[in-house]
């Protein structure tokens, strides 16, 4: 378990050049100053937001300084404001850096520091191209600057909200030229975009929306410079879309969103109060409700902690900084120290000082440096001997989850905390579970030692679950430590375990969203996992068989309620499996649908609304998956036919028959008619009437008449046949003649075999009375009277 020590003062500013002046600057002004330390920790730069006119606005202070030129920059209040105070890596010397001062109108000064010489100006450059352009956000990544620039059109209206997409995202790298280092040419990453706040990690750049427009305020953009790729991610839905931007035509923001507008429209707007970048490369987000989350570069979001404070107003400042695995947060005069991995609150300290700033502590990940008006303080961390054991974190997570569960079910307005839960004694379930975890996970040989009898019985019931958990943790460790060549196989095992776990638990909305993310992130591994969980394979006759349990089948086939499957891209499990079939084994999909229908007919009543067939038939759900494919091919037409026919439903069979007629595949038409006419007399009549109408219109079915005429229903009379034929005869533009020279007209000779078959067939009513006429006595004898 990580513990925080006491605050220890490491500097009273006496080790800084002009330390007294530094302290005066920190104490002056109503608005807090912006303080930033250099990457090597040897320089402090102070941006004074509110200062007397006689004092400079940007001042650099050197630690352990030995003289040289100072850096002091000043400008008039009516001049453009400074929007960036950034450090760039030097492309000339490893570990060296330069300082860039960026003003709102695009003017940029590049400075570097030389020992014993001081600060020197390398270059002054204009980032913006037009006179009306201005920079709203800027960041540095490696040797490059990246900024969001407003470019209002010449005919822009006075209300600038009407031309929201007037911004562009640009980047410019630091290069080595003949006269030393200088900024290179401008590259436009994205144009016609809304306003974004730009935050950079070591390898990625996050674009956070600042305006609350209907669609653009619902997602983030993540720029991957090495791949020139832009990712759309919504914290509520995860990864949305990714696209490589190799040309200027692909860099249009509106074109980037074309394929995702429908999906994004159903998402909730982002709730962001403060954002910052962690040292691990993720984006830290604090909501107005005090929730702290991290968005990874791949678009996934992970909840860290709920600070459980009141709603944060827009003006209340929140500072975030990560030191190793510890997240430090200053909110309303309170310092929160949080373990990022487990989400556990390590310590909560009330600060007695105002104007606290986090400083870089290079090479010291186990301590935090705080800058105050009285000096620099350090807060170190220590880890207890049992920190490597998993049970303290698990126990804490058990009680936190129990708090959320009981709070939702409680009718009281009082806040339930972990401390109250542990001391109250009213809720025994988390106490029992934590006791089991503490004893079973650390005592491999005698897991039940020291447990109460009730807990020991519960442990024997949970033993399989605990073994599964431990094997899962071991597998996660293997994934992290495995060489690159073995990662794929470990990931497949991990996905299989997760899919199996979800299939054997309640299929609620959260689990369904989780399965959707697994199938989207690991499609091949998810396909293998679902084959293994359902035990799908072909038998010796080539038929698809499955050996899943009835409970698993019900979760696979069950269709969630409409409110559970919204417009955020989440689809039911059956549709996920059908998508995998189409991608990896399309020939098996009709057999799978037929297999599921066989199970449905056994498990649910045909008209039951609880079963999947009571809502939308399974073949229609599979057809819906097929219709959502981006590109349509001839193979998809064949797949549609097979899905319609495998359902064996009359409407579907007739739909398939009409599709085959439209495609003029007459051999297949006859085969389908011959096969499915045997299912029911009503379907037989519909099929035969349809083909008889086609026979009257053209001569394509003439080669197959010997096969078609035996399909004629027994109740169909000669007059009914002639009525159908006459109704569907093609209309000729010329006057009819008794003997036509064209060979495509219907003749009596073609129809004669069918009519002879119908006329020679015994009448149905005759068959009814035949038994009575052939009886030995007619009429039957009178029964004897009772006396």
């Amino acid at each position: 378990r990580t513990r925080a020590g006491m605050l220890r003062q490491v500097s009273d500013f006496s080790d800084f050049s002009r330390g007294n002046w530094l302290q005066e600057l920190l104490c002056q002004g109503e608005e807090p100053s912006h303080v930033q330390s250099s990457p090597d920790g040897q320089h402090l730069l102070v941006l004074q937001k509110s200062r007397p006119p006689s004092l400079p606005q940007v001042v650099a202070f050197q630690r352990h300084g030995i003289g040289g030129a100072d850096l002091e920059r000043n400008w008039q209040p009516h001049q453009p404001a400074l929007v960036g105070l950034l450090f760039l890596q030097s492309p000339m010397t490893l570990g060296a850096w330069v300082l860039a001062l960026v003003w709102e109108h695009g003017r940029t000064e590049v400075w570097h520091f030389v020992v014993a010489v001081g600060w020197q100006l390398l270059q002054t450059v204009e980032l913006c191209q037009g006179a009306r352009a201005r920079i709203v956000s800027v960041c540095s990544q490696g040797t490059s600057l990246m900024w969001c620039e407003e470019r209002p059109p010449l005919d822009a209206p006075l209300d600038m909200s009407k031309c929201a997409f007037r911004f562009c995202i640009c980047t410019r790298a630091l290069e080595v030229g003949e006269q030393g280092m200088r900024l290179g040419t401008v590259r436009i990453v994205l144009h016609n975009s809304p306003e974004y706040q730009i935050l950079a990690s070591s390898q990625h750049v996050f674009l956070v929306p600042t305006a609350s427009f209907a669609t653009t305020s619902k997602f983030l953009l993540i720029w991957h410079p090495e791949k020139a790729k832009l990712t759309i991610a919504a914290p509520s839905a995860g990864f949305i879309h990714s696209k490589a931007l190799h040309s200027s035509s692909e860099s249009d923001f509106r074109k980037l969103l074309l394929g995702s507008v429908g999906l994004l429209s159903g998402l909730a707007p982002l709730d962001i109060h403060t954002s910052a970048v962690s040292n691990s490369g993720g984006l830290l987000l604090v909501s107005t409700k005090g929730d702290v989350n991290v968005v990874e570069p791949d678009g996934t979001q992970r909840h860290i902690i709920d600070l459980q404070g009141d709603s944060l107003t827009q003006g209340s400042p929140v500072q975030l900084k990560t030191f190793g695995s510890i997240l430090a947060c200053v909110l309303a005069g309170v310092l929160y120290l949080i373990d990022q991995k487990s989400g556990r609150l390590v310590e909560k300290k009330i600060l007695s000082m105002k104007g606290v700033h986090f400083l870089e502590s290079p090479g010291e990940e186990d301590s935090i440096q705080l800058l105050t008006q009285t000096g620099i303080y350090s807060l170190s961390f220590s880890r207890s001997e049992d920190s490597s054991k998993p049970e303290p974190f698990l126990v804490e997570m058990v009680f936190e989850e129990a708090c959320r569960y009981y709070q939702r079910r409680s009718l009281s307005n009082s806040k339930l905390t972990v401390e109250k839960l542990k001391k109250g004694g009213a809720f025994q379930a988390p106490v029992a579970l934590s006791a089991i975890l503490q004893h079973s996970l650390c005592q491999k040989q005698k897991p039940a030692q020291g447990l109460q009898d009730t807990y020991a019985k519960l442990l024997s019931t949970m033993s399989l679950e605990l073994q599964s958990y431990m094997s899962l943790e071991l597998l996660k460790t293997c994934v992290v430590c495995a060489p690159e060549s073995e990662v794929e196989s470990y990931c497949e095992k991990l996905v299989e375990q997760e899919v199996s776990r979800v299939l054997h638990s309640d299929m609620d909305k959260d689990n369904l969203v989780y399965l959707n993310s697994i199938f989207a992130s690991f499609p091949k591994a998810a396909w293998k996992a679902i084959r293994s969980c359902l035990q799908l394979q072909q038998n010796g006759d080539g038929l698809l068989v499955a050996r899943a349990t009835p409970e698993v089948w019900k979760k696979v086939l069950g269709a969630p309620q409409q409110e559970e499957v919204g417009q955020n891209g989440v689809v039911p499990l059956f549709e996920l499996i059908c998508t995998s079939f189409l991608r990896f084994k399309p020939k098996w999909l009709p057999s799978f649908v037929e297999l599921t229908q066989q199970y449905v007919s056994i498990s649910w009543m045909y008209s039951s609304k609880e079963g999947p067939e009571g809502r939308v038939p399974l073949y229609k759900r599979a057809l819906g998956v097929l219709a959502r494919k981006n590109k349509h091919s001839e193979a998809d037409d064949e797949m549609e036919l097979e899905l319609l026919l495998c359902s064996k439903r009359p409407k579907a069979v007739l739909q398939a028959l009409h599709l085959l007629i439209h495609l003029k595949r007459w051999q297949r038409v006859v085969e389908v008619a011959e096969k499915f006419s045997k299912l029911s007399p009503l379907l037989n009549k519909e099929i035969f009437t349809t083909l008889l109408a086609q026979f009257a219109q053209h001569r394509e079915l003439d080669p197959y008449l010997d096969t078609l005429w035996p399909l004629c229903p027994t109740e169909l009379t000669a007059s009914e046949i002639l009525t159908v034929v006459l109704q569907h005869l093609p209309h000729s533009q010329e006057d009819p003649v008794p003997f036509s020279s064209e060979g495509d007209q219907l003749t009596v000779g073609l129809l004669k075999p069918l009519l002879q078959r119908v006329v020679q067939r015994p009448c149905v009513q005759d068959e009814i009375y035949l038994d009575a006429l052939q009886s030995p006595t007619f009429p039957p004898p009178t029964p004897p009277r009772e006396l």
Side-chain angles (χ1 to χ4, degrees):
R1 184 186 291 270
T2 305
R3 300 181 184 276
M6 298 295 294
L7 281 174
R8 177 174 56 89
Q9 188 174 25
V10 295
S11 173
D12 58 358
F13 301 134
S14 60
D15 55 340
F16 281 87
S17 61
R18 304 176 295 172
N20 293 332
W21 191 19
L22 170 60
Q23 191 167 10
E24 290 178 8
L25 288 179
L26 293 175
C27 296
Q28 289 175 350
E30 298 179 359
E31 295 185 26
S33 303
H34 174 76
V35 180
Q36 193 164 344
S37 61
S38 61
D40 55 7
Q42 296 301 308
H43 299 267
L44 274 182
L45 282 94
V46 179
L47 171 61
Q48 196 73 3
K49 295 183 179 181
S50 176
R51 91 263 186 246
S54 58
L55 294 177
Q57 196 155 352
V58 175
V59 186
F61 298 91
Q62 182 186 1
R63 205 168 190 173
H64 310 296
I66 55 175
D70 297 322
L71 174 61
E72 297 179 8
R73 289 292 285 112
N74 199 357
W75 55 94
Q76 297 301 320
H78 64 273
Q79 293 178 333
L82 190 75
V83 293
L85 197 64
L86 308 163
F87 290 97
L88 300 171
Q89 293 179 7
S90 171
M92 297 179 63
T93 308
L94 185 64
W97 49 266
V98 297
L99 171 68
L101 303 179
V102 183
W103 278 268
E104 188 180 46
H105 63 311
R107 182 181 177 86
T108 302
E109 296 178 356
V110 182
W111 295 76
H112 76 147
F113 183 82
V114 181
V115 179
V117 177
W119 288 94
Q120 291 182 336
L121 179 63
L122 292 178
Q123 183 189 13
T124 300
V125 67
E126 297 292 338
L127 294 182
C128 299
Q129 302 295 326
R132 302 180 63 194
R134 69 183 186 96
I135 294 176
V136 295
S137 179
V138 62
C139 70
S140 63
Q141 186 194 50
T143 61
S144 300
L145 281 177
M146 193 168 185
W147 68 93
C148 179
E149 177 181 327
E150 181 184 15
R151 292 183 177 180
L154 295 175
D155 56 347
L158 295 177
D159 186 6
M160 297 303 288
S161 63
K162 295 181 179 180
C163 51
F165 301 99
R166 63 185 185 276
F167 297 86
C168 63
I169 311 298
C170 309
T171 182
R172 201 165 180 176
L174 196 65
E175 299 175 350
V176 180
E178 296 179 357
Q179 300 178 353
M181 289 180 292
R182 60 183 295 108
L183 287 171
T185 57
V186 177
R187 179 194 172 186
I188 297 179
V189 175
L190 201 64
H191 59 89
N192 295 329
S193 79
E195 182 179 350
Y196 280 104
Q197 178 192 8
I198 305 182
L199 302 166
S201 66
S202 58
Q203 295 182 341
H204 308 89
V205 180
F206 296 92
L207 281 68
V208 182
T210 58
S212 56
F213 293 109
T215 302
T216 58
S217 62
K218 299 180 179 182
F219 60 90
L220 308 168
L221 296 180
I222 306 171
W223 171 245
H224 309 267
E226 293 183 357
K227 301 178 181 178
K229 184 176 69 173
L230 203 60
T231 297
I232 303 174
S236 60
F239 173 85
I240 301 293
H241 178 63
S242 185
K243 184 177 182 180
L245 308 180
H246 296 301
S247 63
S248 58
S249 62
E250 297 174 328
S251 301
D252 193 321
F253 175 82
R254 289 170 292 193
K255 291 182 180 179
L256 180 69
L257 294 189
L258 275 180
S260 308
V261 172
L263 180 61
L264 295 171
S265 62
L267 301 180
L270 297 175
D271 179 15
I272 300 176
H273 179 276
T274 305
S275 54
V277 177
S278 69
N279 55 6
S280 61
L283 177 67
L284 297 167
L285 299 177
V286 181
S287 71
T288 55
K289 299 178 182 179
D291 293 330
V292 183
N293 298 279
V294 59
V295 178
E296 301 297 342
D298 60 0
T300 58
Q301 175 180 279
R302 179 172 59 87
H303 179 71
I304 296 180
I305 195 172
D306 181 5
L307 295 179
Q308 297 180 348
D310 296 331
S311 297
L312 303 176
T313 60
Q314 194 63 33
S316 55
V318 178
Q319 292 192 61
L320 298 171
K321 187 74 174 176
T322 53
F323 300 85
S325 62
I326 298 298
L327 168 62
C329 175
V330 174
L331 170 61
V334 179
L335 173 63
Y336 297 88
L337 302 177
I338 305 147
D339 191 321
Q340 291 185 87
K341 296 180 179 179
S342 64
R344 185 176 58 86
L345 181 64
V346 176
E347 194 132 354
K348 178 180 176 181
K349 290 181 177 290
I350 299 177
L351 302 176
S352 59
M353 56 200 78
K354 295 182 178 180
V356 176
H357 304 271
F358 291 119
L359 296 181
E360 297 288 344
S361 52
E364 299 180 9
E365 292 189 349
D366 57 348
S367 65
I368 292 177
Q369 285 200 355
L370 302 173
L371 175 69
T372 68
Q373 297 175 356
T374 59
I376 299 176
Y377 294 83
S378 177
L379 181 65
S380 58
F381 308 108
S382 62
R383 297 184 181 273
S384 57
E385 295 180 357
D386 63 344
S387 62
S388 60
K389 299 178 181 179
E391 66 271 16
F393 299 105
L394 287 173
V395 169
E396 200 72 22
M397 289 171 65
V398 165
F399 280 101
E400 289 176 358
E401 182 64 29
C403 271
R404 287 191 287 269
Y405 174 77
Y406 291 128
Q407 192 72 58
R408 288 195 301 267
R409 297 171 61 90
S410 175
L411 299 177
S412 173
N413 292 328
S414 61
K415 192 73 174 178
L416 185 62
T417 63
V418 173
E419 289 74 17
K420 291 181 182 179
L421 201 62
K422 289 180 178 179
K423 296 178 182 178
F427 306 103
Q428 290 299 310
V431 176
L433 183 56
S434 62
I436 289 172
L437 290 173
Q438 285 178 333
H439 286 79
S440 62
L441 298 181
C442 61
Q443 298 181 9
K444 302 290 183 62
Q445 298 178 349
K446 297 180 180 181
Q449 185 177 359
L451 281 177
Q452 300 179 17
D453 293 340
T454 308
Y455 294 172
K457 293 178 181 178
L458 186 57
L459 173 60
S460 63
T461 306
M462 294 177 55
S463 59
L464 292 178
E465 294 291 337
L466 288 171
Q467 290 176 13
S468 176
Y469 169 79
M470 293 303 294
S471 63
L472 184 60
E473 289 298 312
L474 180 62
L475 185 55
K476 289 179 181 178
T477 305
C478 293
V479 171
V480 174
C481 303
E484 189 173 354
S485 58
E486 299 178 6
V487 168
E488 184 177 358
S489 62
Y490 281 123
C491 283
E492 289 179 356
K493 294 179 181 178
L494 184 58
V495 169
E496 182 178 343
Q497 288 196 18
E498 283 296 275
V499 171
S500 176
R501 180 185 64 81
V502 174
L503 286 179
H504 288 85
S505 58
D506 294 333
M507 189 57 69
D508 54 12
K509 181 180 178 181
D510 293 336
N511 277 335
L512 187 58
V513 172
Y514 182 47
L515 277 179
N516 273 257
S517 65
I518 289 178
F519 274 78
S521 303
F522 308 99
K524 188 175 182 180
W527 160 247
K528 292 183 178 180
I530 207 69
R531 283 187 59 182
S532 175
C533 293
L534 299 180
Q535 298 186 45
L536 290 172
Q537 57 185 353
Q538 283 184 314
N539 61 11
D541 299 329
L543 299 176
L544 190 67
V545 294
R547 294 182 176 85
T549 62
E551 291 301 320
V552 172
W553 269 121
K554 287 186 178 181
K555 288 163 187 172
V556 168
L557 302 179
Q561 299 293 334
Q562 187 63 32
E563 60 268 16
E564 294 181 6
V565 184
Q567 299 177 354
N568 58 350
V570 178
V571 297
L573 179 56
F574 179 77
E575 276 76 357
L576 287 177
I577 297 175
C578 289
T579 305
S580 292
F581 269 104
L582 282 177
R583 182 170 182 177
F584 298 104
K585 204 74 173 178
K587 292 182 179 180
W588 283 13
L589 179 57
S591 301
F592 174 71
V593 174
E594 191 172 4
L595 188 67
T596 54
Q597 289 177 152
Q598 292 174 5
Y599 176 78
V600 168
S601 62
I602 298 173
S603 302
W604 284 287
M605 293 179 62
Y606 185 78
S607 60
S608 174
K609 291 185 177 180
E610 296 180 358
E613 296 286 302
R615 297 187 181 122
V616 179
L618 293 174
Y619 81 93
K620 285 190 176 181
R621 293 171 64 181
L623 285 172
V625 175
L626 180 64
R628 286 193 289 269
K629 286 187 65 177
N630 295 329
K631 295 181 179 180
H632 196 79
S633 62
E634 293 182 3
D636 294 333
D637 291 335
E638 186 65 29
M639 180 63 67
E640 183 179 356
L641 284 170
E642 293 297 332
L643 290 174
L644 289 169
L645 295 175
C646 76
S647 69
K648 297 181 181 178
R649 288 180 170 238
K651 288 184 179 180
V653 173
L654 289 174
Q655 184 180 346
L657 192 68
H658 284 291
L659 183 59
L660 286 169
I661 292 172
H662 175 73
L663 297 174
K664 298 183 178 180
R665 297 173 55 181
W666 305 111
Q667 176 69 34
R668 187 74 192 280
V669 166
V670 175
E671 292 174 356
V672 168
E674 192 175 16
K675 178 179 179 181
F676 290 94
S677 292
K678 303 173 184 177
L679 293 182
S680 71
L682 185 60
L683 181 59
N684 180 21
K685 184 175 181 180
E686 291 288 341
I687 291 175
F688 185 80
T689 304
T690 301
L691 296 185
L692 188 60
Q694 293 295 318
F695 165 75
Q697 296 175 25
H698 51 75
R699 309 275 54 83
E700 300 291 344
L701 287 174
D702 290 359
Y704 311 101
L705 295 181
D706 292 340
T707 307
L708 289 182
W709 297 153
L711 301 181
C712 180
T714 55
E715 69 274 12
L716 207 61
T717 64
S719 61
E720 289 174 338
I721 292 174
L722 291 174
T723 301
V724 173
V725 170
L726 291 174
Q727 287 176 347
H728 293 87
L729 282 175
H731 297 285
S732 176
Q733 300 295 331
E734 302 176 356
D735 294 334
V737 294
F739 302 100
S740 174
S741 59
E742 299 179 2
D744 59 347
Q745 289 190 358
L746 177 62
T747 63
V748 177
L750 292 173
L751 198 58
K752 183 179 179 180
L754 174 62
L755 296 175
Q756 286 180 338
R757 174 184 290 271
V758 173
V759 172
Q760 294 174 1
R761 192 166 50 204
C763 180
V764 176
Q765 291 183 350
D766 293 345
E767 291 180 355
I768 294 176
Y769 295 107
L770 186 62
D771 293 338
L773 292 173
Q774 293 179 352
S775 59
T777 58
F778 182 80
T782 304
R785 296 180 180 180
E786 295 182 2
L787 299 177

